[in-house]
């Protein structure tokens, strides 16, 4: 009776830490009945979990079903970086009197919200060959089959230590075989053991790139 069946809007519930139902399978409840769900705490990094609730109504010749899904996933912070405003003799760097270029930096969470920069201090950054080309929207790394870093880890394609996960099939080849260009999952994805873990705050200003003149 407490679930928002009639509201029509999305339902969001956060579980901290990870909790797992003790009993799998499904249970049917008659109108007016209640039941207790038992959970256990369990550490399962980078996994997804769902609880599905449904309401059914029957009439002589129609059947209506309403579903509510409560989703649980691991939260993380990450940096969103824009492109530099100048390159080799392009943009602001085309001006011979200017020797500095800049870019934007935003701290975001996997909930789609933006956070103060301090929340992202020292976090791992996925090595994306195309970084936020439409900043501040985040352009995530994907392989040639459109699989993201999160999908690699959740599906167990990778093991979190730059190795292959339990679901990776040897006849698929290597991670590198699944990208047309740029870095593969083990090098690009923090969740797979790659990414850049050494940057405290990504630089937002630096010297323009240059090529030394030949002697």
């Amino acid at each position: 009776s407490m679930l928002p069946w009639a509201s029509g809007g999305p339902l969001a519930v956060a579980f901290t830490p990870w909790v797992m139902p003790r009993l799998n399978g499904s249970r049917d409840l008659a109108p007016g009945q209640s039941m207790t769900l038992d959970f256990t705490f369990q550490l399962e990094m980078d996994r997804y979990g769902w609880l599905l609730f449904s309401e059914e109504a029957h009439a002589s010749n129609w059947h209506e079903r309403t579903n509510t899904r409560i989703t649980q996933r691991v939260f993380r912070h990450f940096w969103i970086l824009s492109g530099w405003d100048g390159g080799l003799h392009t943009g602001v760097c085309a001006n011979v009197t200017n020797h500095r270029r800049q870019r934007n930096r935003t701290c975001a969470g996997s909930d789609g919200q933006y956070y103060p920069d301090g929340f992202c201090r020292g976090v791992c950054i996925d090595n994306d060959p195309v970084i936020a080309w439409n900043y501040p929207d985040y352009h995530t790394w994907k392989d040639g089959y459109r699989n993201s870093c999160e999908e690699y880890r959740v599906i167990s394609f990778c093991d979190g230590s730059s190795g292959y996960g339990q679901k990776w099939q040897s006849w698929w080849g290597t991670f590198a075989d699944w990208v047309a260009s740029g870095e593969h999952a083990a090098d690009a994805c923090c969740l797979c053991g790659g990414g850049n873990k050494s940057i405290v705050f990504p630089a937002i200003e630096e010297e323009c790139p240059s090529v030394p003149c030949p002697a």
Side-chain angles (χ1 to χ4, degrees):
S1 62
M2 299 300 294
L3 292 175
W5 300 114
S7 67
L11 170 68
V13 176
F15 294 114
T16 306
W18 181 273
V19 291
M20 294 287 290
R22 291 185 181 275
L23 297 176
N24 293 320
S26 61
R27 294 279 300 275
D28 294 329
L29 292 179
Q33 287 186 336
S34 63
M35 68 173 293
T36 300
L37 298 176
D38 294 324
F39 294 88
T40 181
F41 294 105
Q42 183 172 341
L43 179 61
E44 292 284 348
M45 294 301 294
D46 312 318
R47 302 288 184 177
Y48 293 82
W50 298 272
L51 288 175
L52 299 177
F53 298 90
S54 63
E55 176 190 52
E56 295 187 4
H58 296 268
S60 58
N61 58 355
W62 62 273
H63 176 99
E64 181 179 358
R65 182 184 180 96
T66 303
N67 294 306
T68 297
R69 184 175 73 172
I70 300 175
T71 303
Q72 173 181 238
R73 63 182 303 176
V74 174
F75 177 85
R76 66 171 179 148
H77 292 99
F78 54 87
W79 290 111
I80 301 176
L81 304 173
S82 72
W84 294 102
D85 60 1
L88 183 63
H89 306 309
T90 62
V92 299
C93 296
N95 187 337
V96 295
T97 62
N98 182 59
H99 302 287
R100 306 287 296 180
R101 64 178 184 174
Q102 297 178 333
R103 64 179 176 182
N104 295 313
R105 177 184 69 203
T106 298
C107 176
S110 54
D111 58 354
Q113 302 298 312
Y114 299 137
Y115 292 85
D117 282 0
F119 283 77
C120 287
R121 181 190 298 271
V123 300
C124 182
I125 303 175
D126 293 335
N127 292 331
D128 192 338
V130 183
I131 299 179
W133 52 270
N134 53 343
Y135 177 90
D137 292 337
Y138 185 54
H139 178 82
T140 60
W141 177 93
K142 292 182 183 293
D143 67 13
Y145 295 95
R146 309 300 296 167
N147 296 305
S148 67
C149 292
E150 285 75 12
E151 290 168 330
Y152 263 74
R153 188 69 181 93
V154 169
I155 303 174
S156 293
F157 282 177
C158 66
D159 65 359
S161 301
S162 299
Y164 296 97
Q166 295 180 351
K167 298 299 184 180
W168 185 269
Q169 305 300 312
S170 59
W171 55 272
W172 291 350
T174 66
F175 287 149
D177 294 328
W178 282 40
V179 293
S181 61
E183 297 185 353
H184 56 71
D187 291 337
C189 299
C190 295
L191 294 176
C192 291
N196 190 328
K197 305 178 182 67
S198 62
I199 299 176
V200 177
F201 286 106
I204 56 175
E205 183 176 342
E206 67 176 16
E207 292 285 336
C208 285
S210 61
V211 176
C213 294

